[in-house]
Amino acid sequence: MHEVLDSIATLEQSAALATIIRVEGHAYRKEGAAMLLRLDGTRTGSISPGCLEADLQERVSRVCSAEAFEIIIYNMQPEEDIMWGDTIGCGGIIHVLLEPVTMVLREQLLTAKNRLRAGATIFLNRSWSSVGDSICYKLEPAAVVSLSRNRWKAGADEHGEAGTFSVKLEPRSRAIVFGAGPDAEALCTVLPGCGFDVVVADWHTHISSENQVNSCGSVVRVTGKPDELASKLQFNRTDYFVVCSHQLHYDHQLIQLALAAQSSYIGVMGSRKRIKQLFGEGKLSENVYAPIGLSIDAEGPYEIALSIASELVQVRAAQRAKDKEATGDAGVRHLLGGGPQQQDEAAEAAASFIAGSYAWQSGASCSIK
């Protein structure tokens, strides 16, 4: 979603936003995944491996000119998929909300972008009514919302009744790479695409000061000794540390500061002998991963970067699952009529699909303060 928000800020033409609001069975992306489709055919983001984009693009002109949203249901189950001619066989049923990027929606997304940049976690709530046939938007701090992830609720999505969808937007995770060597440069290539903003930190003053910002994330370079870096960067619980300076004294100092900040992840590069020199013989803290990275027999900076990035993604996913459990969310993301999903629900949706498009002609979008 971050790349979509970045694109909204520079959008200069009509466009529609496609968001997965419900998944039954298996899908390439889950609820909340979004993609921006511009009138000229260019796109940002993804909601499938390429099987839905062409059909959605065909709808953009109509959605934008009518300022009307559509909910499209794609049945990708193998027995129905042959109708598409691609025989994709993803095995799931995907509900996609396609809405024009009106001024109201644009303002909400830009506000969301600014709040995320300030470190806030928020929910973007959408609601629509069978009476007004318009989407209303509301941004809420995560602290006042009892949900852990995304939620969909509808009276009957196929029949135009009232519905809501809430998507959780979280700041990008920050990975602080201590040590500006070849390993750091490889990580700067891999980590932004995995949803991390990267800070390359080193006590040497001759490291490159060139900062990079693209649709995947940012890479910032700072200099300073560990205590100076802690002050500059304000280490916190959500940070992910990669310690690879290969300077024992400074590595030890940085590790102690990261431990004091109770950071989410502290990965340390080096042999087991070096790890003992840094930590002693005692048991490592549960947020320490040493030696760093998943065991894939990696060789060279880029294979090592892949190993490290994979471990960071794994740890982040586990933390999100833990947060979800702590909030009492059993993982049910969509509610129909307030009750549990029925066993024959997928069959009903499959039977109702074929045409695949259910659209409401909306009036003006509204923003709820």
Side-chain angles (χ1 to χ4, degrees):
M1 187 62 179
H2 287 273
E3 57 190 323
V4 171
L5 295 176
D6 290 340
S7 295
I8 289 291
T10 58
L11 186 63
E12 296 181 348
Q13 60 177 293
S14 297
L17 182 64
T19 306
I20 297 179
I21 60 174
R22 187 177 176 203
V23 170
E24 302 167 61
H26 174 77
Y28 177 72
R29 301 292 305 274
K30 300 301 182 183
E31 290 95 338
M35 176 176 62
L36 183 69
L37 300 100
R38 301 173 188 81
L39 200 58
D40 66 3
T42 57
R43 306 162 191 162
T44 300
S46 68
I47 61 170
S48 83
C51 44
L52 306 182
E53 281 74 0
D55 182 71
L56 288 167
Q57 189 68 54
E58 289 292 325
R59 303 170 186 268
V60 171
S61 178
R62 179 174 72 245
V63 164
C64 290
S65 60
E67 293 195 351
F69 70 87
E70 299 183 11
I71 292 181
I72 309 106
I73 304 174
Y74 295 100
N75 185 348
M76 312 307 289
Q77 293 179 325
E79 60 270 22
E80 301 291 340
D81 183 32
I82 194 170
M83 299 183 63
W84 289 83
D86 293 328
T87 318
I88 299 162
C90 293
I93 299 173
I94 305 166
H95 301 237
V96 178
L97 169 66
L98 185 66
E99 57 192 320
V101 180
T102 61
M103 287 299 297
V104 173
L105 177 56
R106 182 185 176 118
E107 289 174 2
Q108 291 291 307
L109 294 176
L110 290 177
T111 300
K113 174 180 168 66
N114 290 333
R115 292 187 185 179
L116 291 172
R117 183 181 295 171
T121 298
I122 56 177
F123 274 87
L124 171 59
N125 301 318
R126 294 176 175 88
S127 62
W128 53 90
S129 167
S130 58
V131 178
D133 287 336
S134 62
I135 295 183
C136 289
Y137 306 95
K138 182 178 182 181
L139 291 173
E140 289 186 287
V144 302
V145 182
S146 61
L147 309 180
S148 68
R149 297 302 294 167
N150 311 319
R151 284 228 189 247
W152 150 267
K153 184 176 182 179
D157 49 339
E158 295 92 350
H159 306 301
E161 296 182 12
T164 65
F165 180 69
S166 296
V167 60
K168 187 176 185 180
L169 304 177
E170 299 172 282
R172 284 184 178 275
S173 304
R174 183 172 69 166
I176 299 174
V177 182
F178 184 59
D183 298 313
E185 293 309 307
L187 285 166
C188 290
T189 301
V190 176
L191 287 179
C194 298
F196 291 88
D197 283 335
V198 181
V199 177
V200 178
D202 198 289
W203 71 92
H204 293 110
T205 58
H206 64 268
I207 71 168
S208 170
S209 60
E210 180 183 357
N211 297 329
Q212 303 167 333
V213 178
N214 55 42
S215 61
C216 292
S218 67
V219 176
V220 175
R221 303 172 194 276
V222 298
T223 59
K225 295 178 181 179
D227 56 341
E228 296 170 331
L229 294 172
S231 177
K232 288 181 181 179
L233 300 175
Q234 296 295 299
F235 296 167
N236 61 72
R237 297 170 62 94
T238 63
D239 285 332
Y240 293 72
F241 284 88
V242 177
V243 183
C244 57
S245 83
H246 306 292
Q247 211 284 347
L248 200 64
H249 176 64
Y250 287 140
D251 280 356
H252 182 265
Q253 284 187 4
L254 189 89
I255 289 167
Q256 295 308 308
L257 291 166
L259 286 169
Q262 298 181 312
S263 299
S264 297
Y265 174 96
I266 305 169
V268 184
M269 189 176 293
S271 66
R272 296 190 183 277
K273 180 179 178 180
R274 188 171 188 276
I275 300 305
K276 286 185 179 180
Q277 289 178 313
L278 287 167
F279 293 96
E281 297 289 345
K283 184 179 179 181
L284 297 180
S285 174
E286 64 177 12
N287 61 338
V288 172
Y289 295 78
I292 195 172
L294 297 185
S295 179
I296 59 172
D297 293 328
E299 291 187 7
Y302 286 93
E303 289 187 11
I304 292 171
L306 177 61
S307 167
I308 295 171
S310 299
E311 187 170 68
L312 263 66
V313 170
Q314 183 183 66
V315 170
R316 184 177 60 186
Q319 183 60 54
R320 288 174 175 173
K322 184 178 179 181
D323 293 343
K324 182 163 63 175
E325 183 179 356
T327 60
D329 188 335
V332 179
R333 292 179 177 172
H334 35 268
L335 305 175
L336 294 179
Q341 178 174 328
Q342 302 300 315
Q343 291 183 349
D344 61 348
E345 185 182 318
E348 273 184 31
S352 67
F353 167 63
I354 310 306
S357 172
Y358 300 92
W360 293 271
Q361 299 302 314
S362 68
S365 300
C366 63
S367 175
I368 302 174
K369 303 297 185 183

